Amino acid sequence: MVEPLSEDQADALQEVTNIAMGRAARSLSTLLDTFVTLAVPRVQLVDAANAAEAVQETANLPDTVTAVRQAFFHGLRGEALTLFAPGGGHNVADLLGLDADELGDPPEDEILIETSNILVGAILSGLGEQLETQFSYTPPSIFATNTPMDRVLNPDDLEWTTALLVEVTFTLESRNFTCHVLVLLAENSIAVIRQALDRLLEEF
Amino acid sequence: MAQAVEPGPDFSALVENINVGIVVVNRDHEIVCWNRFMAAHSGQPADEVVGANIFTAFPELPERWLRQKLRSVFLLGHQAFSSWEQRPYLFKFPHNRPITGGVDAMRQDCTFFPLADASGETGYVCITIFDMTDASIYQERLQRTTQELEELSARDRLTWLYNRGQFETELLAAFRHRERHGGHLSVILLDIDHFKTINDHQGHDTGDAVLRHLAACIRNRFRVSDVAGRFGGEEFALCLPETDAEGARLAAQRLRQEIHDEPAVHNGMAVSFTVSMGVSEADSGMPDPEALMKEADLALYQAKEAGRDRIVVYGENGAS
């Protein structure tokens, strides 16, 4: 059983995440040349058994999602899942320099993978900077296509029992585009975070 | 990377010799590093491309996409990727499987990562290119084999019609479709008359020839949207979407006529045989396709009882 974060630690983490998302949103706005919002509705410890439920509660997701997965390791270990409503990717293809006619098959995959990589990279480098740690990444890949949420995070398939979940909602209002990034930090990384947070708290 | 105490190897030789493509570009997209892998596969030696703008030197590159990719690495300072599964290649290189390949160009996985300049700022992007051609070919083969296995597991080996399991799957889909969208759906259950006698008196080879001939007649006679299956031994079933009982009866009659006119042939000998068929049409009262099949089975039983070589539609001529 993982000890829950203290109130101070939880506040500090929420604060760190907000700062990180502010930075990430600014670089994404520059990159995509349009206004973006990154909201952090909640940072929480979740049990594998009710992870899907916890995500559904905050994210207001459609019935089925397409998920892109990317693992990160080195300073902190964990996985990031970006959840998309099916079919939305085409609204943002041109922002990524992707032309509909030169895309592979199925064309939406590349858009979603690309979007996920940029978001996860921006979010994690923002977090890493705040927590003074760095990451290495695996290439992103399609994890699930048009799949109900409880099958994306099926407790039977999850290796962990408790993880720290940072949820980030990415919105491009001008394109009517939203997706959700779930950063799941593995159990043994929670201790590392705790230490980093305590260090930050001491500095205040 | 930790700095070695002793002078250690020449790391530029490592970059040069590693069997991975390494390209480094600066913020102006000028090539500053082009290793041997790149030179060998592109046919362009380093001294010809280093210093050149990558888009001028390689006009066939997907410029818009690559510009944005490089921009994201410079701006966000983190890695980007490209997989052969979405984008088969970045540089169009011939692959090393000219005989066994079956693909047009080397399949590539690429990684783009930032490199700092002397001031510590991201001044360069390194592109690494991995040859994924073999993996892509194996994956392609695996997919083909999986498809073949799925096909194989759905078919009856003798007649190549669907087997019972697959027929039931198809029938269920047609049944549900009719429930949602309305329309007609009929089934025909068919049994070869006195098949045991053919097998016992003329041999199993002859029996098999009869089964194959009947399957061929069914394939000739019915539409692509109709589903035919061998149910076991000498029993066959047909699922006819958008067909009412009368339409199914006509189709059954034509099949019966064809079997009369064109007997099976085995070892140069004509083998005559007849079939009995039961027909039933789905109605809204039926809970599942089993109920529909049960009616067709009762109709078939009546056709047998009434002397074989005939068609009975469930609910007609006192049949019920």
Side-chain angles (χ1 to χ4, degrees), chain A residues 168-189:
Chain A
V168 182
T169 306
F170 169 75
T171 312
L172 276 176
E173 245 169 69
S174 60
R175 300 302 181 103
N176 191 21
F177 179 84
T178 299
C179 63
H180 302 276
V181 183
L182 312 180
V183 179
L184 288 151
L185 290 149
E187 243 152 313
N188 53 8
S189 292

Side-chain angles (χ1 to χ4, degrees), chain B residues 15 20 52 58 65 69 94 98 105 109 163 173 206 210 229 232 254 257 273 289 309 320:
Chain B
V15 170
V20 172
F58 298 95
W65 176 84
K69 202 86 169 169
D109 271 0
N163 57 29
T206 310
V210 166
R254 281 195 295 266
Q257 195 57 48
F273 65 99
D309 190 17
S320 61

Side-chain angles (χ1 to χ4, degrees), chain A residues 27 30-31 70 94-99 102 104 110 113-114 117-118 121-122 137-140, chain B residues 62 64-66 68-69 71-73 75-83 85-88 111:
Chain A
S27 10
T30 316
L31 177 68
Q70 192 166 9
D94 62 306
L95 298 178
L96 304 166
L98 296 166
D99 288 325
E102 61 152 343
E110 189 175 9
I113 287 176
E114 196 85 37
N117 186 61
I118 288 173
Y137 306 91
T138 62
Chain B
R64 217 159 84 82
W65 176 84
L66 184 55
Q68 186 66 343
K69 202 86 169 169
R71 209 169 145 243
S72 82
V73 180
L75 204 68
L76 305 177
H78 67 85
Q79 296 173 52
F81 302 91
S82 157
S83 161
E85 290 184 81
Q86 280 80 45
R87 184 172 291 270
T111 306

Side-chain angles (χ1 to χ4, degrees), chain B residues 31-46:
Chain B
I31 299 172
V32 300
C33 172
W34 185 260
N35 78 346
R36 186 183 297 168
F37 178 100
M38 295 305 290
H41 286 286
S42 67
Q44 300 264 46

